[in-house]
Amino acid sequence: MALHIHEACVLLLVILGLVTSAAISHEDYPADEGDQTSSNDNLIFDDYRGKGCVDDSGFVYKLGERFFPGHSNCPCVCALDGPVCDQPECPKIHPKCTKVEHNGCCPECKEVKNFCEYHGKHYKILEEFKPSPCEWCRCEPSNEVHCVVADCAVPECVNPVYEPEQCCPVCKNGPNCFAGTTIIPAGIEVKVDECNICHCHNGDWWKPAQCSKRECQGKQTV
């Protein structure tokens, strides 16, 4: 009797073990994170080494095929070890370039500044102009303006005047000088009063006149 009971217990344990094993599926034991990542990577990123090249947008190119990657205007050739791209030494852009295009592998200047700017105005290359009566300027090929300011000579008179559109003062009445408070012309002797005859210094118009006394001619009394 005891033997039958022992056999019944063993049979019951076996049945419970089978039921438990059948109830537990593979989904209850997730795979390691590393295994999942490796599996996903293989599905998303195919290995094209030795077979082709992939650009930034995911487009595949055959070996030997020429293509332009999305981040560059320089062409590439698909090789066994990956894309081989041109990297030329591009010429320097002219410092006066006003329009640059980037359609090719190297930037290209399409328009160079061919004028000068001076005080808000534009002038052609080699054009001459006068911003003021005393300035003479020219637009140089370097797009720079070079100016010369007139150096006025000392006027040969004590009462020079400025004429419109003229830089330097002019002596409208010719050279002269002061004899006291009187202005006398240069080059001649001038009797300034009954007793004094004066003349200007030759070349030194700013100096007072040189005067000499003569016999005074007073009024005769009867």
Side-chain angles (χ1 to χ4, degrees):
M1 181 69 175
L3 180 60
H4 292 293
I5 295 174
H6 177 72
E7 291 177 355
C9 290
V10 172
L11 181 59
L12 180 60
L13 290 174
V14 172
I15 294 173
L16 290 174
L18 293 173
V19 171
T20 304
S21 299
I24 299 175
S25 66
H26 182 68
E27 294 178 355
D28 295 329
Y29 291 89
D32 293 340
E33 184 177 354
D35 295 339
Q36 281 189 335
T37 303
S38 176
S39 177
N40 291 336
D41 287 346
N42 289 334
L43 291 175
I44 297 176
F45 302 103
D46 292 333
D47 188 1
Y48 289 100
R49 287 176 295 181
K51 303 175 184 177
C53 302
V54 184
D55 64 6
D56 296 344
S57 60
F59 194 86
V60 180
Y61 296 90
K62 298 178 182 179
L63 291 177
E65 191 172 359
R66 188 180 179 91
F67 67 98
F68 291 86
H71 64 281
S72 173
N73 288 326
C74 294
C76 300
V77 176
C78 183
L80 287 172
D81 297 329
V84 178
C85 302
D86 293 342
Q87 293 182 349
E89 292 186 4
C90 297
K92 294 183 179 180
I93 298 296
H94 195 284
K96 300 295 183 180
C97 185
T98 57
K99 184 179 180 181
V100 180
E101 288 188 358
H102 299 272
N103 296 329
C105 187
C106 292
E108 185 178 359
C109 180
K110 290 297 184 180
E111 185 175 337
V112 178
K113 181 181 178 182
N114 58 353
F115 61 89
C116 298
E117 186 174 354
Y118 189 77
H119 292 175
K121 296 183 178 180
H122 290 179
Y123 299 93
K124 298 178 181 179
I125 300 297
L126 300 181
E127 182 179 358
E128 298 178 359
F129 58 96
K130 293 186 67 176
S132 69
C134 294
E135 288 180 288
W136 177 84
C137 302
R138 186 174 71 171
C139 176
E140 301 293 343
S142 61
N143 302 111
E144 297 179 350
V145 174
H146 289 174
C147 296
V148 176
V149 180
D151 186 13
C152 297
V154 178
E156 297 181 347
C157 59
V158 295
N159 56 348
V161 295
Y162 286 88
E163 295 288 350
E165 300 302 323
Q166 290 190 5
C167 175
C168 299
V170 295
C171 297
K172 297 188 69 173
N173 298 319
N176 56 37
C177 65
F178 276 114
T181 58
T182 304
I183 297 177
I184 62 174
I188 59 174
E189 290 186 341
V190 178
K191 187 176 182 180
V192 296
D193 55 30
E194 295 295 329
C195 301
N196 294 294
I197 295 178
C198 303
H199 65 274
C200 297
H201 293 274
N202 186 21
D204 296 332
W205 318 112
W206 61 92
K207 293 182 179 180
Q210 185 176 3
C211 299
S212 59
K213 286 186 177 290
R214 300 290 177 91
E215 182 179 354
C216 298
Q217 295 180 358
K219 292 183 179 181
Q220 295 183 354
T221 58
V222 178

